[in-house]
Amino acid sequence: MKTICFYFQIHQPFRLKRYRFFNIGRDHYYYDDYSNEDILQQIAGRSYIPANRMLLDLIRQYKGKFKVAFSISGVALEQLEIYSPEVIDGLRELARTGNVEFLTETYAHSLASLADPEEFKQQVAMQAERIKMLFDQTPTVLRNTELIYSDDIADMACEMGYSKMITEGAKHILGWKSPNYLYQSQNRPELKLLLKNSRFSDDITYRFSNYNWSEYPLTAEKFISWIADTPQEEQVINLFMNYETLGNLQPSYTGIFEFMKALPRFAFDQGIGFATPSEIMDVHKPVGAISVPTPISWTDEERDVGAWLGNTLQKGAFKLLYDIAERVRLCTDRRLKQDWLYLQSSDHFYYMSTKHFSGGHSNFSPYESPYDAFNNYMNVLSDFIGRIKAQYPDTVDNEELNSLLTTIRNQEIEIKRLELELKKVIGRNEEKLVVKQKDK
């Protein structure tokens, strides 16, 4: 039996305000609150809210046979809680059905996995805690920012205790192989990998309303027939996409909601079911291993990380940001910690891309040019670095910082040990007190 796995990504960055050189050292608030609220509320109204309602109706209509999965960045959750809490309410209602799985990712939707393993692990743990708190689920599947994956990231995932991960079915990695199977990491066989089917996913995300597409219009019946016509042994079809596909990237007038509503009926008629990523990875066995020596993603034709780290502007800003990571981890200032997370969002580097700027990349950028994006971000980063160095100056070298961090971590371990011992002592004393009272 063939199975469709629907996975939706929700992310919105905290966009930066126009921050000029003379603001450095004077203004420590970096965000464009008006744009952030306006954009999120527009997208929520057009996409998130009606899509939540539609998915809930489908789950109820088909009595639990229709299933989907979500990955929502921590910074998106923060904005939803502030500007559109009804979206969170809708997602909670979906979670209560038992037919919706929530994955974990980096809290800041960051590129930390490419620069700072410690930061990557901390953000994934932080995000898992947030998902547990909001949706009462403990994530078992890891989804890295922009589906970025490599052999090194596989090592980090396993070290964090994850045995399931989703990523892109990149052609230059798979070669003749099909993405419609479950795979495993070559260097960490215990890590199962579910791969995006780019053709079918992009048919919905990008080509659905394209009048020039030879297959336009795309109907649910036609789409399911394509899936049914795949080789019989290919049992898993992974449709991974941005949640904004429903209502924003593909506006409601294109018929995208009607398409989605009709999809399950035609699927079930063809004997095709639906499952979440963890269900598929629990049931199916890997058919082979894949090796990914250099990072892949789900962006651009090359499926690499060039959209964020493809030019000298991006690389320079990226290096400068993570050069101060150890100092940030030492500080206890909540405002600094918050800014650190918000400044790591991959979007800031995406806006600096000179790759196809006249095309798709510029459509999502609030800046006039990549250079404008770079200058604005660097001004903000300069102020942020100044605030960090005010607490931990350059006179303290990295070796001293590492030593201090080790001391702090050892102290934390010792404190936890002593707290546990204290609880045991209190417990024993309480037991003795109960015995004495009984003797009396």
Side-chain angles (χ1 to χ4, degrees), residues 23 74 117 122 171 173 205 226 259 268 285:
N23 293 125
Q122 285 187 14
K171 291 179 182 178
I173 295 297
T205 303
W226 292 345
F259 171 83
F268 294 136
K285 293 183 179 179

PDB file of all heavy atoms in Angstrom, residues 23 74 117 122 171 173 205 226 259 268 285:
ATOM      1  N   ASN A  23      23.181  54.672  14.587  1.00  0.00           N
ATOM      2  CA  ASN A  23      22.404  54.030  15.656  1.00  0.00           C
ATOM      3  C   ASN A  23      23.270  53.130  16.532  1.00  0.00           C
ATOM      4  O   ASN A  23      22.889  52.811  17.667  1.00  0.00           O
ATOM      5  CB  ASN A  23      21.271  53.179  15.074  1.00  0.00           C
ATOM      6  CG  ASN A  23      20.201  53.995  14.380  1.00  0.00           C
ATOM      7  OD1 ASN A  23      19.887  53.757  13.220  1.00  0.00           O
ATOM      8  ND2 ASN A  23      19.647  54.963  15.087  1.00  0.00           N
ATOM      9  N   GLY A  74      10.804  28.198  16.595  1.00  0.00           N
ATOM     10  CA  GLY A  74      10.505  28.871  17.856  1.00  0.00           C
ATOM     11  C   GLY A  74      10.201  30.343  17.671  1.00  0.00           C
ATOM     12  O   GLY A  74       9.317  30.896  18.340  1.00  0.00           O
ATOM     13  N   PRO A 117      28.211  23.271  16.554  1.00  0.00           N
ATOM     14  CA  PRO A 117      27.470  22.100  17.032  1.00  0.00           C
ATOM     15  C   PRO A 117      26.797  22.305  18.384  1.00  0.00           C
ATOM     16  O   PRO A 117      25.672  21.831  18.601  1.00  0.00           O
ATOM     17  CB  PRO A 117      28.550  21.014  17.111  1.00  0.00           C
ATOM     18  CG  PRO A 117      29.570  21.430  16.108  1.00  0.00           C
ATOM     19  CD  PRO A 117      29.589  22.935  16.162  1.00  0.00           C
ATOM     20  N   GLN A 122      21.716  22.949  21.438  1.00  0.00           N
ATOM     21  CA  GLN A 122      20.940  23.712  22.414  1.00  0.00           C
ATOM     22  C   GLN A 122      19.617  24.185  21.815  1.00  0.00           C
ATOM     23  O   GLN A 122      18.569  24.134  22.471  1.00  0.00           O
ATOM     24  CB  GLN A 122      21.747  24.913  22.909  1.00  0.00           C
ATOM     25  CG  GLN A 122      22.856  24.558  23.874  1.00  0.00           C
ATOM     26  CD  GLN A 122      23.520  25.781  24.483  1.00  0.00           C
ATOM     27  OE1 GLN A 122      23.013  26.904  24.394  1.00  0.00           O
ATOM     28  NE2 GLN A 122      24.669  25.584  25.098  1.00  0.00           N
ATOM     29  N   LYS A 171      18.917  15.144  -6.186  1.00  0.00           N
ATOM     30  CA  LYS A 171      19.273  14.275  -7.308  1.00  0.00           C
ATOM     31  C   LYS A 171      20.760  13.948  -7.334  1.00  0.00           C
ATOM     32  O   LYS A 171      21.149  12.826  -7.660  1.00  0.00           O
ATOM     33  CB  LYS A 171      18.861  14.931  -8.626  1.00  0.00           C
ATOM     34  CG  LYS A 171      17.351  15.014  -8.833  1.00  0.00           C
ATOM     35  CD  LYS A 171      17.024  15.689 -10.153  1.00  0.00           C
ATOM     36  CE  LYS A 171      15.517  15.822 -10.343  1.00  0.00           C
ATOM     37  NZ  LYS A 171      15.188  16.529 -11.613  1.00  0.00           N
ATOM     38  N   ILE A 173      22.691  13.507  -5.004  1.00  0.00           N
ATOM     39  CA  ILE A 173      23.012  12.539  -3.952  1.00  0.00           C
ATOM     40  C   ILE A 173      22.411  11.178  -4.269  1.00  0.00           C
ATOM     41  O   ILE A 173      23.073  10.141  -4.161  1.00  0.00           O
ATOM     42  CB  ILE A 173      22.495  13.032  -2.578  1.00  0.00           C
ATOM     43  CG1 ILE A 173      23.227  14.316  -2.167  1.00  0.00           C
ATOM     44  CG2 ILE A 173      22.652  11.951  -1.521  1.00  0.00           C
ATOM     45  CD1 ILE A 173      24.719  14.167  -1.954  1.00  0.00           C
ATOM     46  N   THR A 205       3.513  23.298  -4.681  1.00  0.00           N
ATOM     47  CA  THR A 205       4.041  24.549  -4.131  1.00  0.00           C
ATOM     48  C   THR A 205       4.255  25.625  -5.192  1.00  0.00           C
ATOM     49  O   THR A 205       3.895  26.785  -4.987  1.00  0.00           O
ATOM     50  CB  THR A 205       5.370  24.291  -3.400  1.00  0.00           C
ATOM     51  OG1 THR A 205       5.156  23.310  -2.388  1.00  0.00           O
ATOM     52  CG2 THR A 205       5.899  25.571  -2.756  1.00  0.00           C
ATOM     53  N   TRP A 226      -0.915  10.251 -10.763  1.00  0.00           N
ATOM     54  CA  TRP A 226       0.546  10.245 -10.935  1.00  0.00           C
ATOM     55  C   TRP A 226       1.204   9.424  -9.834  1.00  0.00           C
ATOM     56  O   TRP A 226       2.134   8.662 -10.077  1.00  0.00           O
ATOM     57  CB  TRP A 226       1.095  11.663 -10.916  1.00  0.00           C
ATOM     58  CG  TRP A 226       0.701  12.502 -12.091  1.00  0.00           C
ATOM     59  CD1 TRP A 226       0.172  12.077 -13.273  1.00  0.00           C
ATOM     60  CD2 TRP A 226       0.811  13.924 -12.190  1.00  0.00           C
ATOM     61  NE1 TRP A 226      -0.058  13.148 -14.111  1.00  0.00           N
ATOM     62  CE2 TRP A 226       0.321  14.293 -13.479  1.00  0.00           C
ATOM     63  CE3 TRP A 226       1.247  14.928 -11.344  1.00  0.00           C
ATOM     64  CZ2 TRP A 226       0.279  15.615 -13.912  1.00  0.00           C
ATOM     65  CZ3 TRP A 226       1.218  16.254 -11.769  1.00  0.00           C
ATOM     66  CH2 TRP A 226       0.740  16.592 -13.047  1.00  0.00           C
ATOM     67  N   PHE A 259      -8.518  21.762  -3.977  1.00  0.00           N
ATOM     68  CA  PHE A 259      -7.608  20.682  -4.372  1.00  0.00           C
ATOM     69  C   PHE A 259      -7.260  19.803  -3.171  1.00  0.00           C
ATOM     70  O   PHE A 259      -7.337  18.568  -3.238  1.00  0.00           O
ATOM     71  CB  PHE A 259      -6.341  21.298  -4.972  1.00  0.00           C
ATOM     72  CG  PHE A 259      -5.222  20.328  -5.227  1.00  0.00           C
ATOM     73  CD1 PHE A 259      -5.182  19.567  -6.380  1.00  0.00           C
ATOM     74  CD2 PHE A 259      -4.189  20.183  -4.303  1.00  0.00           C
ATOM     75  CE1 PHE A 259      -4.146  18.665  -6.617  1.00  0.00           C
ATOM     76  CE2 PHE A 259      -3.149  19.299  -4.526  1.00  0.00           C
ATOM     77  CZ  PHE A 259      -3.133  18.538  -5.686  1.00  0.00           C
ATOM     78  N   PHE A 268      -7.805   7.581  -1.297  1.00  0.00           N
ATOM     79  CA  PHE A 268      -8.402   6.384  -0.708  1.00  0.00           C
ATOM     80  C   PHE A 268      -9.032   5.499  -1.786  1.00  0.00           C
ATOM     81  O   PHE A 268      -9.000   4.263  -1.678  1.00  0.00           O
ATOM     82  CB  PHE A 268      -9.439   6.770   0.348  1.00  0.00           C
ATOM     83  CG  PHE A 268      -8.837   7.455   1.555  1.00  0.00           C
ATOM     84  CD1 PHE A 268      -9.440   8.581   2.112  1.00  0.00           C
ATOM     85  CD2 PHE A 268      -7.667   6.977   2.136  1.00  0.00           C
ATOM     86  CE1 PHE A 268      -8.893   9.208   3.220  1.00  0.00           C
ATOM     87  CE2 PHE A 268      -7.110   7.594   3.244  1.00  0.00           C
ATOM     88  CZ  PHE A 268      -7.719   8.718   3.786  1.00  0.00           C
ATOM     89  N   LYS A 285      11.388  -0.436   6.650  1.00  0.00           N
ATOM     90  CA  LYS A 285      12.814  -0.654   6.858  1.00  0.00           C
ATOM     91  C   LYS A 285      13.604   0.059   5.769  1.00  0.00           C
ATOM     92  O   LYS A 285      13.165   0.116   4.616  1.00  0.00           O
ATOM     93  CB  LYS A 285      13.139  -2.156   6.825  1.00  0.00           C
ATOM     94  CG  LYS A 285      12.551  -2.936   7.987  1.00  0.00           C
ATOM     95  CD  LYS A 285      12.970  -4.394   7.917  1.00  0.00           C
ATOM     96  CE  LYS A 285      12.409  -5.173   9.106  1.00  0.00           C
ATOM     97  NZ  LYS A 285      12.791  -6.607   9.052  1.00  0.00           N
TER      98      LYS A 285
END
